[in-house]
Structure formats: structure tokens, C-alpha cells
């Protein structure tokens, strides 16, 4: 079964620190990975996607992909209380719908 | 307005009743998806559709029916609602099965 695993948290970080969110996946054939942010009571919102090994930066967010280790991460620099949310990782196992992890709850403490 | 919308946003129904949740997208995305989200389970795929008149089961299809006669609409019907179907339902769309998905605002359904 194709799975995406995330630590449910909560992950607590102080304001201004780097938050590191991690995700592992079981399907070696997965090529693309997506990070979604979900505020309480709201729908998931796409924040980044990554297709290639290495890092991809977008503002305060950096996605990292290591296909050899089957590992994806999201770094949030200069974390703000407004970053407090659940972060969902999703992988694409090839010609089938995305597989979502259960999410990691991030709490940024002011 | 462009985007993906769901209606109703909130619904309370009784056990055994039929209820239909609506989803409409204006991007002309070929793929549409229905998920339910429950505490401890994350997002679970109910049904998806690759195009008009093409639908396929997801992880938890039992008790649900879908149709897609037009590209922009993807209604989800609970033929005889049960309490276990109390959940938040999200519709999503994407340009391809392996592409990023965009979610609607959700429908909170309570079955009493």
C-alpha cells in the first residue's frame, strides 16, 4: 500500500525559529510531492510542490526532497504565530490520485 | 467568481435520508475529487473523476454515489445517510491525476 507518513505533532517552535516538518513515503515511483497548509476549520491550501531532488525555496518556505531516502521536508524560516496550522504532505504515486499524509500540527509560540 | 465552490457549507440531516453535496469548479480542470476528513484519519479519498462520465472509487466509497455529467460539476450523494458519515467533506480539482489539487471550502455534514 502506498503511504505517506508524517509525525502528527504538535510541533512547537518559538517565534522567529525554523520549523522543520518531515514526511516519508513508501512508493519509490513517486515523482512529485506537495505541501498543504490547513488552518483549523478551513480547507487545505497548496503552499509548495517539488519534483526534483534537492531544495526548492519560496519566500520563507523551503521544500527538500531526497528520493534515495524517500524523504520530503518543509522548512519554515522566521516562523510566525500565523504559521500555526496543520501541514499536509502529499505524494504522487504515478497516474493515480495524490496520497496524503495525516498531517503535522505546528504551533508557533509568540 | 473563479475557483472551486461547495454547497451547502453546513448540513444537518437525519439517518436514512438522502443528501447531495455539490461541487463546482470554473478552471475547466479535468480531474475532480471528493474527500472526507475526520479526526485521526486525515483526508480520505471517496471518489474521483478523470473527466465527464468517468468516475472511479477511492479508499472509502461505500455508501456514496457520484456522477459527472459536466466537467465543472461533481456532486456527491449519500443515498441513505448514516451517523458514521458525519464528517467534513472536501471537493478538489486538478489539471491531472498527479498534479496539484485545489480544494473547495468544505461542507460540514452532521447526521443525527
Amino acid at each position: 500500500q502506498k503511504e505517506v507518513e508524517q509525525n502528527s505533532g504538535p510541533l512547537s517552535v518559538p517565534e522567529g525559529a525554523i520549523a522543520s516538518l518531515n514526511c516519508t513515503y513508501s512508493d519509490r515511483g513517486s515523482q512529485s510531492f506537495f505541501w498543504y497548509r490547513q488552518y483549523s476549520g478551513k480547507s487545505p491550501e497548496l503552499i509548495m510542490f517539488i519534483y526534483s531532488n534537492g531544495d526548492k525555496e519560496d519566500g520563507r518556505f523551503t521544500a527538500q526532497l531526497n528520493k534515495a531516502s524517500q524523504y520530503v521536508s518543509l522548512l519554515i524560516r522566521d516562523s510566525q504565530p500565523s504559521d500555526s496550522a496543520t501541514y499536509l504532505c502529499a505524494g504522487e504515486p504515478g497516474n493515480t490520485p495524490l496520497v496524503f499524509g495525516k498531517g503535522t500540527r505546528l504551533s508557533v509560540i509568540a | 467568481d473563479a475557483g472551486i465552490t461547495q454547497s451547502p457549507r453546513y448540513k444537518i440531516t437525519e439517518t436514512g435520508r438522502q443528501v447531495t453535496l455539490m461541487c463546482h469548479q470554473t478552471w475547466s480542470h479535468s480531474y475532480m475529487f471528493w474527500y472526507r476528513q475526520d479526526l485521526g484519519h486525515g483526508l480520505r479519498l471517496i471518489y474521483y473523476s478523470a473527466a465527464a462520465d468517468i468516475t472511479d472509487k477511492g479508499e472509502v466509497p461505500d455508501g456514496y454515489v457520484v456522477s459527472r455529467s459536466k466537467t465543472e460539476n461533481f456532486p456527491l450523494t449519500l443515498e441513505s445517510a448514516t451517523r458514521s458519515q458525519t464528517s467534513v467533506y472536501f471537493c478538489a480539482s486538478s489539471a491531472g491525476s498527479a498534479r496539484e489539487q485545489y480544494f473547495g471550502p468544505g461542507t460540514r455534514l452532521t447526521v443525527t
Side-chain angles (χ1 to χ4, degrees):
Chain A
Q1 190 170 353
K2 298 166 183 174
E3 293 183 337
V4 172
E5 300 283 347
Q6 296 182 258
N7 188 318
S8 63
L11 172 67
S12 294
V13 300
E15 184 176 358
I18 296 175
S20 178
L21 302 158
N22 304 313
C23 170
T24 59
Y25 60 95
S26 63
D27 181 12
R28 285 200 169 272
S30 295
Q31 298 295 316
S32 311
F33 297 88
F34 306 84
W35 283 100
Y36 287 81
R37 177 177 61 201
Q38 186 175 22
Y39 291 115
S40 181
K42 301 294 186 182
S43 59
E45 171 194 12
L46 179 70
I47 52 174
M48 285 197 76
F49 56 86
I50 185 166
Y51 300 144
S52 305
N53 267 333
D55 295 1
K56 179 181 178 182
E57 189 174 314
D58 183 1
R60 294 186 298 113
F61 298 97
T62 299
Q64 298 176 318
L65 173 58
N66 183 326
K67 291 186 179 181
S69 301
Q70 295 178 239
Y71 181 89
V72 191
S73 64
L74 179 70
L75 303 179
I76 306 174
R77 289 183 299 282
D78 188 25
S79 295
Q80 301 297 309
S82 59
D83 295 325
S84 297
T86 297
Y87 289 80
L88 305 174
C89 173
E92 161 271 315
N95 268 348
T96 62
L98 301 185
V99 176
F100 285 84
K102 293 183 179 179
T104 298
R105 191 155 51 95
L106 173 67
S107 179
V108 180
I109 311 300
Chain B
D1 285 353
I4 183 165
T5 57
Q6 294 183 237
S7 62
R9 294 294 312 280
Y10 303 90
K11 177 75 176 177
I12 300 174
T13 192
E14 295 178 342
T15 300
R17 290 194 179 268
Q18 182 181 83
V19 60
T20 296
L21 310 184
M22 304 301 293
C23 179
H24 176 79
Q25 54 104 357
T26 61
W27 291 307
S28 298
H29 282 166
S30 55
Y31 278 80
M32 296 186 75
F33 309 85
W34 274 107
Y35 294 90
R36 60 178 291 175
Q37 188 175 43
D38 306 284
L39 214 57
H41 289 282
L43 284 169
R44 290 186 289 175
L45 182 64
I46 304 170
Y47 269 97
Y48 66 102
S49 169
D53 298 323
I54 300 174
T55 62
D56 211 343
K57 295 179 180 179
E59 180 186 353
V60 289
D62 293 343
Y64 303 95
V65 174
V66 293
S67 62
R68 195 165 176 209
S69 57
K70 292 184 178 181
T71 300
E72 61 266 31
N73 297 325
F74 191 38
L76 175 74
T77 297
L78 289 67
E79 293 193 303
S80 178
T82 65
R83 289 194 185 88
S84 65
Q85 293 177 309
T86 292
S87 186
V88 179
Y89 291 84
F90 290 107
C91 178
S93 71
S94 74
S97 67
R99 297 281 303 276
E100 63 274 18
Q101 294 180 15
Y102 297 92
F103 285 80
T107 295
R108 184 173 293 274
L109 175 68
T110 301
V111 183
T112 62

